[in-house]
Amino acid sequence: MLRFNRYQGDHMQLSNDFLLDPGIHFLNHGSFGACPRPVFDVYQRWQRELEAQPVEFLGRRVGDLLQESRAALAAYLGTARDDVVYFTNPTTAMNMVARNLFRDRPGWRGLGAGDEIVSTDHEYGALVRTWRYLCAESGARYVEVPIPLPVSTHADFVERFWARVTPRTRVVYLSHITSPSALTFPVSEICRRAREAGILAIVDGAHAPAQIPLDLQSVGADLYTGACHKWLMAPKGAAFLYARPEVQPLLEPLVVSWGWESERPGPSRFVDWHEWQGTRDVSAFLAVPAAIAYQAAHDWPAVRERCHALAVETRARIEALTGLPPVSPEDASEGERWFHQVFTAQLPAGVDLSVLKERLYAEHRVEVPLTELGGASYIRVSIQVYNDRDDTDALLAGLAALL
């Protein structure tokens, strides 16, 4: 229990840095994140600087400022500065990527009838809709590999997924950490096999940056998108797309603006094409280095471990309450973990999720998402540095009363 006494001390020190309503037990960091006050202050300073002289800021300085910010982000991700570009969210970045893949390019035949995109049935709903929309127009197939719960081992996942890859498969697309089930998929091995097979590998890493150590070169994806506003705790509206240099020419911009046929080209056409989208507030992008620095200053690997320990304990308490089995094996070593700071637990059959969610919030002041997957109901719980056992006790008390 000593570990949690220390965790409580860190919680008390850092929880005051957050702007969250103290009257709410906020166990839903995974949806939109939460930005600490020192980072938010940097964000607002950039906004005030922009407003003080918009022409100077957007007309003359913004390119250099974004380059500095991308350099800090790229170093954090283990990649090169000009292989990363900012987007407002991963969904927008992935829409740009997906739309380009259905068009012919030099060295790339656009996806069409008979081609397959192989994915899983645990993917983020907005992007599932993106792929289905584009496949319906083109005749390509979006293939969802069923990943039944409970999962067993990473090796079993890889074999189950790869068994659905066929000679018609041209793209594999899957989450690093899934949204509905909060499972960490072994994406590096999938990317390695895809590279050997000449298949494009795309990873949705919205929940990965700062929840797990992330080195994009080790992951090996051709394309990887992640959110900075979730576990990295940058302001809302900060996300990124990484593209391997060999695939960057495939990606024409979603918004054609001054970066296309640029009069002042920079060192990267990829950045020129996608960074400038007309007048917009880039302050969230510029605050990303402050978010990285904030976590570095507070020994974030240790914070992650203490959050994970509380997540392990809370998951076990929910399972003891419901009598239902875990959705993944018990805690494992870092490289084999199925969950980190966010987890799911199954709820009893027949629960009205909308009523349960409403009453947890109204009667117990607990903010937590409830989801359905594969015909079963689940609760998804996020543990961030501002959470402690008071929050998880409130959740368990609410579940005990309402279930």
Side-chain angles (χ1 to χ4, degrees):
M1 305 307 292
L2 178 62
R3 151 169 58 185
F4 287 109
N5 289 337
R6 181 181 173 192
Y7 177 90
Q8 178 73 9
D10 288 345
H11 159 76
M12 294 303 293
Q13 175 189 349
L14 294 181
S15 62
N16 289 334
D17 280 352
F18 290 84
L19 298 161
L20 294 165
D21 183 345
I24 303 298
H25 300 285
F26 194 76
L27 294 168
N28 191 14
H29 186 92
S31 284
F32 304 108
C35 185
R37 195 182 307 271
V39 179
F40 199 76
D41 288 344
V42 171
Y43 167 61
Q44 291 190 314
R45 284 202 298 273
W46 283 120
Q47 289 183 314
R48 289 192 293 270
E49 199 164 330
L50 186 159
E51 291 302 323
Q53 224 297 22
V55 174
E56 171 72 16
F57 194 97
L58 294 174
R60 292 186 279 271
R61 297 179 57 204
V62 70
D64 289 341
L65 293 174
L66 286 170
Q67 183 171 275
E68 292 173 11
S69 181
R70 280 189 292 101
L73 175 62
Y76 179 79
L77 299 172
T79 192
R81 180 195 67 191
D82 293 333
D83 293 341
V84 175
V85 68
Y86 280 116
F87 278 81
T88 52
N89 53 65
T91 300
T92 303
M94 280 304 308
N95 266 263
M96 181 277 291
V97 168
R99 287 176 179 274
N100 274 288
L101 296 182
F102 287 83
R103 300 175 62 187
D104 291 337
R105 296 281 187 269
W108 174 263
R109 176 180 58 81
L111 298 173
D115 295 327
E116 294 179 346
I117 301 101
V118 174
S119 188
T120 80
D121 61 349
H122 289 240
E123 302 307 320
Y124 183 55
L127 292 174
V128 172
R129 286 163 171 79
T130 300
W131 288 112
R132 288 177 176 167
Y133 172 82
L134 293 168
C135 285
E137 287 190 326
S138 69
R141 292 183 63 227
Y142 180 69
V143 179
E144 292 182 305
V145 179
I147 307 296
L149 298 178
V151 291
S152 55
T153 66
H154 282 184
D156 177 71
F157 170 90
V158 170
E159 296 306 322
R160 179 183 294 273
F161 183 90
W162 202 255
R164 298 298 294 271
V165 173
T166 75
R168 296 182 299 276
T169 303
R170 297 187 59 206
V171 175
V172 294
Y173 162 77
L174 72 167
S175 293
H176 202 160
I177 300 176
T178 65
S179 178
S181 52
L183 294 173
T184 302
F185 285 162
V187 296
S188 295
E189 176 60 16
I190 298 296
C191 292
R192 186 190 68 78
R193 293 192 183 195
R195 182 71 58 83
E196 289 182 352
I199 296 170
L200 198 70
I202 306 174
V203 176
D204 176 359
H207 287 268
Q211 187 178 172
I212 60 175
L214 184 57
D215 182 276
L216 292 182
Q217 300 308 308
S218 297
V219 171
D222 293 295
L223 295 142
Y224 190 108
T225 185
C228 300
H229 67 264
K230 290 182 184 285
W231 298 94
L232 187 53
M233 305 190 307
K236 311 296 182 288
F240 68 87
L241 174 72
Y242 160 81
R244 197 164 55 86
E246 292 83 350
V247 304
Q248 290 174 12
L250 304 181
L251 306 177
E252 293 189 355
L254 197 63
V255 176
V256 176
S257 188
W258 291 103
W260 182 264
E261 299 177 346
S262 175
E263 297 171 358
R264 293 179 296 171
S268 166
R269 188 173 68 170
F270 171 63
V271 172
D272 288 343
W273 281 3
H274 300 284
E275 188 168 78
W276 189 256
Q277 296 184 6
T279 302
R280 58 175 175 166
D281 185 354
V282 298
S283 301
F285 303 160
L286 300 180
V288 168
I292 295 170
Y294 178 88
Q295 294 194 352
H298 293 99
D299 189 10
W300 221 251
V303 169
R304 281 197 296 257
E305 281 302 302
R306 290 192 290 275
C307 289
H308 177 70
L310 184 56
V312 170
E313 177 195 81
T314 305
R315 188 180 83 150
R317 292 175 69 189
I318 295 173
E319 291 160 359
L321 175 67
T322 63
L324 295 169
V327 303
S328 63
E330 294 301 319
D331 198 20
S333 62
E334 172 70 29
E336 292 291 320
R337 282 179 183 170
W338 280 105
F339 72 95
H340 298 267
Q341 289 179 245
V342 58
F343 68 88
T344 52
Q346 190 172 352
L347 296 173
V351 170
D352 187 322
L353 295 184
S354 61
V355 172
L356 178 59
K357 179 176 174 60
E358 181 181 346
R359 292 188 66 187
L360 278 171
Y361 189 77
E363 299 173 23
H364 298 271
R365 311 308 287 162
V366 172
E367 181 68 71
V368 68
L370 310 177
T371 63
E372 289 186 1
L373 186 65
S377 299
Y378 298 89
I379 185 169
R380 190 188 77 179
V381 181
S382 296
I383 305 293
Q384 187 51 288
V385 67
Y386 51 76
N387 294 122
D388 63 7
R389 206 183 264 115
D390 285 345
D391 298 313
T392 56
D393 284 349
L395 171 64
L396 266 294
L399 291 174
L402 298 173
L403 289 178

